[in-house]
Amino acid sequence: MPEVLVADDDPHIRQLLVFALEKAGMVVREAADGEAALAEVARARPDLIVLDINMPRMDGLEVCRRLRAQGDLPILFLSSRDDEIDRVLGIELGGDDYVVKPFSPREVVARVQAILRRGRAMSADQGAVSGRGRLAIDEAAWLARWDGVDAPLTVTEFGILKILAGAPARVYSRDAIIDRLHGPGFAITDRTIDSHVRNLRGKFAALGGHDVIETRPGVGYRLGPCQGGAA
């Protein structure tokens, strides 16, 4: 049974999510603020954290920064409708997805299940190491490497890279990427995909890989030559 940590300072929201997630077959723990969330993760790492952006003592963005410094724990953000800047920043910090308040508990459950499903599929994939140029993708180990150095990717970032690498000559629209990540009809904005791609580029650029993803203006993205030159 997957274990999920729900971090939100509103006890009513926590109660709703605990009920919905447990009904979907998950083990759920709670945290009422950012510091408590970090303490819970340190005590026992969950499979995913549902993380509110606006919390006392430490907000969700700072929690995300600290978690990303430690590893790739999947993160689903909760944000207010008027916090678009925070939502985009949350994705750029390494969040896998977000849900806007007020939300349907079913939507949160669906997004949690989608993230966990991608993680399980990637972990269970027994395909050989693939790649292009100086990029290597080990699907069985759920790792991407540049010149043998691991790139610390989130579940969603790895999923996007895997999609692009699966057909290197193809240009994928943002909608096509969303459909392959979540299934048709899943509500995510183009800007969210752009933020994930920007994260991917930044992580590989830090390793010397400046040409991992190409942009085709007005169309979408495709895998670059992965030789280390400018994208």
Side-chain angles (χ1 to χ4, degrees):
M1 296 176 66
E3 185 169 303
V4 176
L5 174 63
V6 174
D8 195 299
D9 61 314
D10 187 329
H12 177 64
I13 288 178
R14 293 201 309 273
Q15 183 180 19
L16 282 176
L17 293 180
V18 168
F19 177 79
L21 292 166
E22 287 183 342
K23 188 175 180 181
M26 304 179 201
V27 176
V28 187
R29 290 151 49 198
E30 301 178 50
D33 58 61
E35 290 184 0
L38 288 177
E40 280 296 315
V41 172
R43 182 176 68 82
R45 186 184 188 276
D47 295 296
L48 180 145
I49 179 171
V50 178
L51 183 61
D52 184 33
I53 288 180
N54 296 311
M55 289 190 296
R57 300 182 70 182
M58 183 185 298
D59 66 24
L61 298 177
E62 180 59 26
V63 173
C64 180
R65 287 189 186 95
R66 298 193 184 195
L67 290 177
R68 282 292 164 261
Q70 301 170 15
D72 59 356
L73 173 65
I75 297 171
L76 172 67
F77 276 113
L78 301 178
S79 69
S80 301
R81 186 172 298 279
D82 58 352
D83 287 339
E84 181 180 4
I85 293 176
D86 283 348
R87 294 201 302 271
V88 172
L89 180 57
I91 296 298
E92 291 177 346
L93 288 173
D96 289 283
D97 201 353
Y98 68 84
V99 174
V100 177
K101 296 178 180 180
F103 54 77
S104 160
R106 287 186 178 182
E107 180 183 7
V108 175
V109 170
R111 290 180 184 263
V112 166
Q113 290 174 328
I115 295 171
L116 294 174
R117 190 162 53 245
R118 291 201 303 274
R120 288 194 299 268
M122 292 172 188
S123 298
D125 197 322
Q126 297 301 312
V129 175
S130 61
R132 190 179 200 185
R134 296 158 70 181
L135 170 70
I137 300 174
D138 187 340
E139 297 178 6
W142 194 13
L143 289 173
R145 300 183 178 93
W146 182 266
D147 277 348
V149 179
D150 291 352
L153 306 185
T154 67
V155 172
T156 302
E157 291 163 4
F158 188 88
I160 291 173
L161 185 64
K162 181 180 174 183
I163 289 167
L164 299 181
R170 175 176 172 178
V171 179
Y172 285 89
S173 69
R174 293 165 179 81
D175 286 342
I177 292 173
I178 292 170
D179 287 350
R180 286 177 174 257
L181 282 174
H182 299 286
F186 214 78
I188 293 181
T189 66
D190 290 352
R191 192 169 180 182
T192 300
I193 296 299
D194 292 341
S195 295
H196 285 305
V197 170
R198 188 159 50 247
N199 285 353
L200 276 166
R201 284 177 167 153
K203 290 178 178 181
F204 281 105
L207 300 176
H210 300 280
D211 60 346
V212 171
I213 299 178
E214 293 181 351
T215 300
R216 290 301 175 93
V219 184
Y221 300 106
R222 77 173 183 180
L223 195 69
C226 301
Q227 297 297 331

